């Protein structure tokens, strides 16, 4: 059975890795092309999933790596059905008047510009397949978290990109989905590192979420992203920003 | 004490109108402007003798921002507010024509330079319990064919305005869409970007408005931005994104 061919970014750990695992659990005939900076976890995934998982080691801000990933998928399997833009970073977390603009630009390179580039590179193929672009967004795109101005605004930009792409490119669908607050290394970073640059109140809030076991296992949002990539984005919400646990995504949840 | 207001993009269009409206609001207000066209700035300095100062240059250049901030510090030593107005529309193109350099240039002008300038002026504006006003756009919440870059940068700007308000309780911030205004940007849409890069359907909105004489004169949004930065942003709108005709602005 010819499975879907799906590109996922940031697959070495966290939500990205869970997306890969969940895709294969739901549809073992799928082929996944992944990218991340660390080779070891990529090799691990290759060992587990054999000729269903392929990878490029590299930084998503390197347009040549995105091109390579795309070319590999086409050369290897002749199509791209869906793209899940998951890779992202949180830092810089700093007060607005301490804004080091070069750090803001680096964040935008990863969280935003690389995703526009990824869409551009894959668009001819995803269009042909009438496929789906799924963006990992964040609650921070509409809510304030202390000193997350760079991250939050980059996710707001990403939400807007989903809106434009969905309306410009009628052959594909695009959706920006917030994953909730997930038990990944980004949360570790908040509790143990950048939290010190947040307000005490918000820092404590994130620490409490972990302590009271309220962080989501990455499988929970990963299920939504995986099902969207496999089964397609519902027409009714095409081009919007939505939370993983929204009622409109009932059929995509765990 | 005279209010000191910084306005960017003051050589023409909405920015120039903001300056004119501010000068009319109060005989003592002082405006610091920045734009690339020195001749236009000189004209304002002459017209508003002693009340208009400027730096000529590209606001996305750090050196220009620093010169502006240092001039204000040296000459007056305080600042009551900022209207971040300077902005460009291009690149106008569908996403499949994404050009990293063009998008970076755009974001440098329309977003990063604003973040940078705000962070440099914040200490003074906080001390003055002042106001920071961002010229946003309806494109920040809608899609226009070929405007993915502009729209995303304005969405980022709205988000930043909200974060600023939450983070800095001693100032107020607001992002305001000016409507479709009779400026060079609209000429460029009708004559250049539209025919070249937009669909006929998406361009029609703009050409229709012009044909029906419904483009706003720049002094209409100019007056609103001037009032917001000078008289103050209403508390209930702190951190918000609104359109020019928002009923809650009635008293401004």
């Amino acid at each position: 059975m010819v499975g879907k061919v799906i590109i996922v970014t940031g697959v070495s750990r966290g939500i990205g890795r869970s997306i890969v695992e969940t895709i294969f659990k739901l549809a073992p005939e799928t082929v996944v092309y992944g990218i991340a900076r660390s080779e070891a976890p990529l090799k691990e995934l290759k060992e587990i999933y054999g000729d269903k998982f392929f990878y490029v080691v590299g930084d998503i801000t390197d347009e040549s790596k995105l091109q390579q990933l795309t070319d590999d998928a086409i050369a290897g399997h002749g199509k791209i059905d869906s793209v899940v833009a998951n890779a992202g970073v949180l830092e810089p977390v700093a007060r607005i008047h301490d804004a080091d603009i070069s750090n803001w630009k680096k964040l935008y390179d990863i969280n935003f510009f690389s995703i526009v580039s990824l869409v551009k590179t894959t668009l001819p193929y995803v269009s042909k397949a009438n496929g789906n672009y799924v963006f990992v967004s964040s609650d921070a795109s509409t809510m304030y978290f202390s000193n997350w101005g760079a991250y939050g605004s980059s996710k707001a930009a990403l939400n807007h990109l989903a809106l434009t792409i969905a309306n410009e490119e009628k052959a594909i669908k695009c959706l920006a989905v917030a994953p909730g607050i997930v038990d990944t290394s980004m949360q570790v970073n908040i509790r143990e590192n950048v939290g010190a640059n947040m307000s005490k109140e918000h820092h404590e809030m994130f620490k409490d979420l972990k302590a009271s076991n309220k962080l989501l296992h990455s499988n929970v949002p990963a299920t939504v992203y995986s099902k969207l990539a496999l089964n397609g984005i519902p027409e009714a919400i095409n081009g919007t920003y939505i939370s993983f646990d929204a009622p409109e995504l009932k059929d995509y949840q765990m | 004490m005279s209010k000191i207001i910084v306005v960017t993009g003051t050589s023409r269009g909405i920015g120039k109108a903001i300056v004119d409206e501010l000068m009319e609001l109060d005989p003592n207000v002082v405006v610091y402007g920045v734009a690339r066209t020195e001749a236009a700035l000189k004209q304002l300095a002459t017209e508003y003798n002693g009340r208009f100062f400027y730096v000529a240059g590209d606001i996305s250049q750090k050196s220009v921002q620093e010169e502006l901030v240092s001039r204000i510090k040296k000459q007056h030593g305080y600042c009551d507010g900022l209207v971040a107005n300077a902005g460009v529309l291009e690149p106008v193109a569908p996403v499949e024509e994404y050009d990293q350099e063009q998008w970076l240039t755009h974001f440098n002008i329309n977003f990063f330079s604003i973040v940078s300038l705000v962070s440099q002026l914040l200490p003074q504006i906080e001390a003055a319990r002042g106001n920071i006003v961002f010229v946003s756009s309806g494109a920040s919440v809608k899609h226009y064919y070929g405007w993915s870059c502009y729209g995303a940068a304005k969405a980022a700007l709205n988000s930043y305005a909200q974060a600023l308000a939450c983070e800095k309780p001693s100032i107020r911030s607001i992002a305001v869409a000016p409507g479709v205004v009779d400026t060079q940007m609209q000429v460029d849409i009708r004559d250049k970007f539209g025919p070249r890069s937009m669909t006929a359907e998406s361009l029609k909105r703009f050409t229709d408005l012009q044909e029906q004489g419904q483009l706003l004169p720049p002094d209409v949004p100019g007056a609103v931005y001037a009032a917001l930065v000078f008289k103050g942003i209403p508390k209930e709108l702190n951190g918000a994104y609104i359109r020019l005709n928002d009923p809650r602005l009635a008293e401004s």
Side-chain angles (χ1 to χ4, degrees):
Chain A
M1 172 181 174
V2 180
K4 295 240 155 78
V5 177
I6 300 178
I7 287 179
V8 187
T9 66
V11 298
S12 60
R13 56 187 183 171
I15 296 172
R17 181 162 183 144
S18 286
I19 290 171
V20 175
E21 292 166 350
T22 306
I23 285 174
F24 286 127
K25 205 155 52 155
L26 292 168
E29 71 282 4
T30 311
V31 174
V32 174
Y33 282 81
I35 181 170
R37 289 167 296 175
S38 332
E39 179 144 32
L42 295 169
K43 275 194 161 127
E44 231 179 81
L45 285 166
K46 183 73 184 169
E47 257 158 64
I48 300 169
Y49 298 109
D51 64 357
K52 295 284 186 235
F53 179 79
F54 302 85
Y55 66 84
V56 166
V57 185
D59 197 311
I60 48 164
T61 61
D62 182 344
E63 288 190 305
S64 72
K65 298 290 180 185
L66 299 179
Q67 190 64 59
Q68 195 188 330
L69 191 65
T70 304
D71 292 345
D72 285 356
I74 297 308
H77 291 87
K79 60 169 181 157
I80 300 170
D81 290 287
S82 291
V83 175
V84 184
N86 158 77
V89 296
L90 177 60
E91 296 175 65
V93 173
R95 294 176 303 171
I96 265 170
H97 68 264
D98 289 333
D100 178 341
I101 214 66
S102 64
N103 287 337
W104 280 57
K105 292 182 186 184
K106 284 195 198 122
L107 176 143
Y108 267 74
D109 280 342
I110 299 163
N111 287 16
F112 181 68
F113 295 118
S114 79
I115 297 176
V116 194
S117 185
L118 179 62
V119 171
K120 175 198 173 164
T121 307
T122 54
L123 196 52
Y125 310 107
V126 181
S127 296
K128 209 150 116 209
N130 289 120
N132 300 273
Y133 285 98
V134 186
F135 296 161
V136 175
S137 182
S138 169
D139 290 334
S141 66
T142 57
M143 278 170 55
Y144 172 67
F145 291 93
S146 168
N147 298 340
W148 286 26
Y151 181 79
S153 63
S154 78
K155 293 300 191 181
L158 186 63
N159 292 353
H160 193 282
L161 184 70
L163 175 65
T164 308
I165 291 173
N167 283 280
E168 251 178 35
E169 303 294 333
K170 297 301 182 186
I172 58 96
K173 292 202 186 69
C174 187
L175 192 67
V177 186
I181 306 184
V182 190
D183 199 5
T184 67
S185 59
M186 188 179 279
Q187 285 299 315
V188 175
N189 188 18
I190 290 167
R191 291 191 305 273
E192 298 178 9
N193 183 23
V194 297
N197 295 341
M198 299 173 63
S199 69
K200 194 160 191 292
E201 184 194 341
H202 281 191
H203 190 190
E204 291 303 313
M205 179 195 72
F206 283 107
K207 286 200 273 188
D208 285 347
L209 285 169
K210 175 66 174 174
S212 53
N213 226 1
K214 290 208 180 111
L215 293 181
L216 294 169
H217 190 289
S218 53
N219 285 341
V220 175
T223 300
V224 176
Y225 295 115
S226 302
K227 288 187 179 176
L228 285 164
L230 285 166
N231 304 332
I233 293 161
E235 179 62 57
I237 56 174
N238 184 23
T240 66
Y241 160 68
I242 195 170
S243 181
F244 80 101
D245 56 356
E248 294 92 327
L249 288 175
K250 180 168 53 80
D251 295 338
Y252 295 77
Q253 289 153 10
M254 230 170 171
Chain B
M1 208 160 62
S2 322
K3 279 214 169 141
I4 308 287
I5 309 287
V6 179
V7 185
T8 65
T10 52
S11 60
R12 56 184 186 180
I14 297 173
K16 183 177 183 305
I18 293 168
V19 176
D20 293 335
E21 294 291 329
L22 278 169
M23 296 303 188
E24 235 179 284
L25 269 174
D26 185 289
N28 296 312
V29 82
V30 168
V31 177
Y32 281 81
V34 61
R36 289 166 295 179
T37 318
E38 180 145 26
L41 297 168
K42 274 198 163 117
Q43 207 169 22
L44 284 167
T46 307
E47 185 179 347
Y48 295 115
N49 190 26
R51 295 205 290 145
F52 182 81
F53 304 93
Y54 66 85
V55 171
D58 181 348
I59 193 60
S60 68
Q61 301 293 319
K62 194 149 208 279
S63 57
V64 173
Q65 297 162 21
E66 284 172 353
E67 199 189 324
L68 180 65
V69 174
S70 104
R71 280 206 73 184
I72 297 167
K73 272 207 181 103
K74 264 195 283 208
Q75 264 173 224
H76 286 92
Y78 65 97
C79 179
D80 292 283
L82 165 70
V83 185
N85 160 77
V88 297
L89 179 60
E90 65 265 34
V92 176
V95 172
E96 63 228 45
E97 288 173 35
Y98 168 71
D99 177 313
Q100 186 183 67
E101 210 179 299
Q102 287 179 354
W103 279 57
L104 282 174
T105 302
H106 181 103
F107 267 72
N108 276 339
I109 300 165
N110 284 25
F111 184 66
F112 295 122
S113 77
I114 297 174
V115 175
S116 185
L117 187 61
V118 167
S119 67
Q120 290 170 72
L121 290 172
L122 253 181
Q124 288 99 299
I125 300 179
E126 278 185 287
R129 302 190 77 81
N131 296 274
I132 300 176
V133 182
F134 300 102
V135 175
S136 182
S137 169
S140 67
V141 294
K142 287 191 294 247
H143 69 276
Y144 288 98
Y145 187 92
W147 288 31
S148 51
C149 185
Y150 182 79
K154 290 301 190 186
L157 190 63
N158 291 355
S159 168
Y160 176 70
Q162 180 194 41
L164 189 55
C166 291
E167 208 174 295
K168 301 293 174 187
S170 54
I171 60 100
R172 290 199 188 143
S173 78
I174 193 170
V176 186
V180 187
V181 188
D182 197 4
T183 66
Q184 186 61 39
M185 190 180 278
Q186 284 303 314
V187 174
D188 289 344
I189 289 167
R190 293 190 306 271
D191 297 350
K192 196 164 49 159
F193 302 125
R196 194 196 293 166
S197 308
M198 293 172 70
T199 60
E201 184 195 344
S202 58
L203 179 55
K204 192 171 186 302
R205 172 173 192 257
F206 299 99
T207 51
D208 280 353
L209 284 169
Q210 194 253 346
E211 278 162 28
Q212 292 153 17
Q214 284 174 344
L215 295 178
L216 289 174
D219 62 340
V220 172
V224 174
Y225 291 116
L228 283 166
V229 75
F230 183 82
K231 295 188 197 163
I233 295 160
K235 185 159 187 269
E236 56 172 336
L237 297 179
N238 188 19
Y241 159 74
I242 61 164
R243 296 172 60 181
L244 202 77
N245 54 10
D246 191 301
R248 293 167 294 177
L249 280 181
E251 62 229 53
S252 277

